[in-house]
Amino acid sequence: MEHNLVLYNTLTRKKEKFVPIHPNMVGMYVCGPTVYSDVHLGNCRTFVSFDLIFRYLVHLGYKVRYVRNITDAGHLEGDNDEGDDKFAKKAKLEQLEPMEIVQKYTIGFHDVLRMFNTIPPSIEPTATGHISEQIEMVQQIIDNGFAYEVNGTVYFDVEKYVKEYNYTILTNRNLEDMLNNTRELGGQDEKRGRLDFALWIKAKPEHIMRWPSPWGVGFPGWHIECSAMSRKYLGDQFDIHGGGMDLAATHHTNEIAQSEACNHTSPAKYWMHTNMLTVNGARMSKSAGNGFLPGELFTGDHKLLNRGYSPMAVRFFMLQAHYRSTLDFSNEALEAADKGYKRLMAAIGLLDKIVTSPKSNFGNLEEIKKRSYAAMDDDFNSPVLIAELFEVVRIINSIYDGKLTITEGDLNELKDYLSAFVYDILGLKDDQVGDTDNMDDLMQIIINLRNEAKKNKDFVTSDRIREHLTAVGIQLKDSKDGTLWNKI
């Protein structure tokens, strides 16, 4: 099948046909977490979105090198050149070494993403593991005339840079407005220009995480880390750079500037950004008291949640919204997503129980396939794909109920289609009844008890068995072949 994948490029503010730099190969870099605290849902939404993108590119036959970093140093509070080091502050608070903090929250991050069934990236570099590459890049920027050193700190010279390059190309902001909105910060007297930012920061005596450099003992600025790591593993220019939209204005803007000042080329051909999360229409944040962690969402242990939801139901909920649209959490939306997810899994569970016929009369599977691919080819439009899947759910239920027929060949094609789009591309799996191998045996015992009650004309008991099973998400269906069961 011919594919014409288009994606929205933040750099050009329009959808563009995806043409990789090297045929059949894709280099993709996504900004990973700063591991000084539990990963929040906004991060998870970004990583689930890029997992979908990664999965689809692989499905199309591309060889993808997916690089997602771990920021384990150099990230100061306020995302600027001043303030406490996030790791050192947390380490003092918990009376631990900074790298104990890093280890604790990196493991937690991996555990959460494993629950969301995301595929690990091809490479997961850490900032502390690439200090030499960052120092080398800073030196090259100095040598190219776009940075200067003051008292052991190296600053990027934005005023010099804008004479040759467009500093606001990613966000299209007005440079004069940016200058006027820049606050007077500590260290501002060292800088030549108000928009200049630190590439390497001199370590104060009390600063714990520190490394020797040509400019004295210090630590890297936050932005240089991603520029150095993406360059090392993907080259001076690669295909896709991704992250949350909150990174575009400063972090990604400065990444582009650093890479152009060093390599004389823009680092990525396509820039992709996920949108933010809201809760009942208000932006999710710790300060507003409406932010909950993934673990709280799974258990329901939060004042804003009526109950907990399985990781797969939450993943399904996230994929029901396009990655560039706002995702609004509410109990009603989560309930609806949970029911939809269970309906989809229940329908897939019926496939092995369907009786085939000599003829199919359910419609054209090829057309459904074409529409499904068209949805994903249109900037990874998972909500439209999910709508197509529910059309397939309707067909499966009608075949199971005997209202439509299907041949064995078409049934196998239907199974392949669902396996590709539900499991491989959307990355869903069935987590509804647990992983016990003897579920069929257990259900057969319950069905036999119900049949015995019916035989003894104890219809009260037989009805109660059916009602209790329905309450826990299992449906019984009496047919000429006996009693069948499926998840709902």
Side-chain angles (χ1 to χ4, degrees):
M1 186 182 290
E2 193 69 31
H3 289 278
N4 186 23
L5 175 62
V6 298
L7 51 82
Y8 184 84
N9 190 353
T10 310
L11 202 62
T12 57
R13 285 164 282 284
K14 64 182 181 183
K15 286 184 185 177
E16 296 178 5
K17 183 175 180 179
F18 178 66
V19 181
I21 296 166
H22 304 289
N24 304 317
M25 296 182 73
V26 177
M28 180 168 78
Y29 187 92
V30 175
C31 290
T34 300
V35 284
Y36 73 101
S37 63
D38 291 310
V39 63
H40 59 75
L41 275 171
N43 280 147
C44 292
R45 197 266 174 109
T46 293
F47 302 135
V48 166
S49 296
F50 281 98
D51 184 63
L52 171 76
I53 290 163
F54 178 37
R55 285 170 176 274
Y56 190 60
L57 291 169
V58 169
H59 178 79
L60 292 183
Y62 289 109
K63 184 179 180 182
V64 185
R65 179 176 285 178
Y66 173 20
V67 183
R68 186 186 67 213
N69 73 296
I70 295 283
T71 296
D72 59 351
H75 201 157
L76 304 183
E77 290 191 315
D79 298 344
N80 53 48
D81 306 335
E82 290 291 313
D84 289 335
D85 179 288
K86 291 184 177 186
F87 300 95
K89 186 172 182 180
K90 195 65 178 269
K92 285 173 189 168
L93 200 65
E94 297 193 17
Q95 295 186 309
L96 296 170
E97 280 288 327
M99 294 315 287
E100 285 182 277
I101 295 293
V102 166
Q103 180 77 348
K104 174 184 175 181
Y105 291 113
T106 300
I107 290 170
F109 167 66
H110 288 150
D111 287 345
V112 168
L113 287 201
R114 199 175 298 115
M115 292 175 82
F116 277 124
N117 199 33
T118 65
I119 300 171
S122 319
I123 303 172
E124 193 172 52
T126 63
T128 54
H130 296 78
I131 297 295
S132 61
E133 287 86 355
Q134 293 164 64
I135 289 173
E136 182 187 357
M137 195 168 193
V138 172
Q139 187 61 61
Q140 284 180 278
I141 295 171
I142 292 172
D143 293 344
N144 289 346
F146 292 104
Y148 55 93
E149 181 258 337
V150 182
N151 299 326
T153 295
V154 180
Y155 293 103
F156 188 89
D157 193 334
V158 174
E159 192 176 326
K160 181 85 179 288
Y161 173 79
V162 298
K163 289 176 181 174
E164 294 185 41
Y165 299 98
N166 181 358
Y167 184 58
T168 61
I169 191 169
L170 189 64
T171 57
N172 207 27
R173 290 177 298 169
N174 183 286
L175 198 61
E176 287 301 316
D177 289 346
M178 288 176 67
L179 279 164
N180 293 333
N181 291 333
T182 303
R183 292 174 298 160
E184 289 290 345
L185 298 168
Q188 192 73 51
D189 56 325
E190 291 186 346
K191 299 179 185 180
R192 293 177 187 169
R194 294 183 70 181
L195 291 176
D196 293 359
F197 57 91
L199 301 173
W200 184 264
I201 302 168
K202 180 183 179 179
K204 293 174 184 173
E206 69 273 15
H207 201 94
I208 304 170
M209 301 178 83
R210 53 206 285 142
W211 293 266
S213 80
W215 318 286
V217 175
F219 56 95
W222 174 35
H223 314 302
I224 197 69
E225 299 174 353
C226 287
S227 290
M229 289 185 281
S230 63
R231 178 197 191 197
K232 179 177 175 67
Y233 295 109
L234 298 174
D236 289 354
Q237 189 175 53
F238 49 93
D239 298 295
I240 297 171
H241 194 312
M245 67 182 295
D246 57 312
L247 297 178
T250 304
H251 186 52
H252 289 167
T253 289
N254 290 344
E255 272 192 71
I256 292 173
Q258 291 164 162
S259 295
E260 284 185 327
C262 181
N263 309 320
H264 307 293
T265 183
S266 185
K269 191 174 176 184
Y270 305 95
W271 286 79
M272 302 179 70
H273 293 93
T274 55
N275 211 324
M276 65 179 184
L277 303 185
T278 56
V279 180
N280 299 317
R283 182 163 186 173
M284 181 183 281
S285 71
K286 285 180 189 172
S287 57
N290 67 348
F292 34 81
L293 296 170
E296 293 171 323
L297 188 52
F298 301 153
T299 61
D301 187 19
H302 192 279
K303 61 183 180 182
L304 292 175
L305 295 167
N306 290 343
R307 66 177 182 91
Y309 299 89
S310 77
M312 282 301 98
V314 177
R315 182 181 174 109
F316 181 77
F317 169 69
M318 289 179 175
L319 295 173
Q320 277 189 307
H322 190 265
Y323 76 89
R324 284 193 293 114
S325 65
T326 303
L327 180 66
D328 186 54
F329 279 81
S330 68
N331 285 294
E332 295 75 22
L334 286 164
E335 282 293 345
D338 188 52
K339 283 178 185 169
Y341 166 68
K342 286 175 179 172
R343 268 185 66 212
L344 178 59
M345 289 299 134
I348 293 171
L350 294 177
L351 290 173
D352 289 329
K353 300 174 184 177
I354 280 174
V355 179
T356 57
S357 301
K359 282 194 340 189
S360 294
N361 68 352
F362 67 87
N364 190 336
L365 182 58
E366 279 307 309
E367 283 302 313
I368 293 171
K369 252 197 239 181
K370 273 184 195 169
R371 292 198 301 268
S372 300
Y373 276 115
M376 287 303 292
D377 285 342
D378 182 16
D379 196 26
F380 310 97
N381 201 324
S382 55
V384 172
L385 169 60
I386 288 170
E388 290 296 336
L389 289 172
F390 278 114
E391 174 60 18
V392 174
V393 166
R394 185 192 64 75
I395 290 167
I396 292 170
N397 287 329
S398 294
I399 294 169
Y400 181 74
D401 289 338
K403 294 170 188 170
L404 294 173
T405 59
I406 191 169
T407 64
E408 189 175 347
D410 282 348
L411 180 60
N412 288 332
E413 262 196 69
L414 193 58
K415 287 179 180 178
D416 289 344
Y417 161 83
L418 287 165
S419 176
F421 281 95
V422 175
Y423 300 138
D424 297 347
I425 295 170
L426 290 180
L428 298 169
K429 62 181 182 179
D430 194 347
D431 65 357
Q432 291 306 293
V433 187
D435 298 321
T436 53
D437 294 329
N438 58 351
M439 194 65 198
D440 275 318
D441 296 335
L442 291 171
M443 284 305 303
Q444 201 50 57
I445 292 168
I446 295 169
I447 287 167
N448 289 343
L449 288 170
R450 179 171 172 268
N451 288 343
E452 200 174 310
K454 284 167 72 178
K455 189 178 173 184
N456 295 333
K457 297 192 179 343
D458 183 2
F459 299 114
V460 172
T461 298
S462 81
D463 287 346
R464 279 179 66 196
I465 290 171
R466 179 195 283 274
E467 287 162 10
H468 283 306
L469 288 172
T470 302
V472 295
I474 294 172
Q475 176 182 299
L476 297 182
K477 182 177 173 63
D478 296 317
S479 71
K480 62 180 190 301
D481 299 317
T483 302
L484 303 173
W485 68 275
N486 65 277
K487 290 166 274 181
I488 54 174

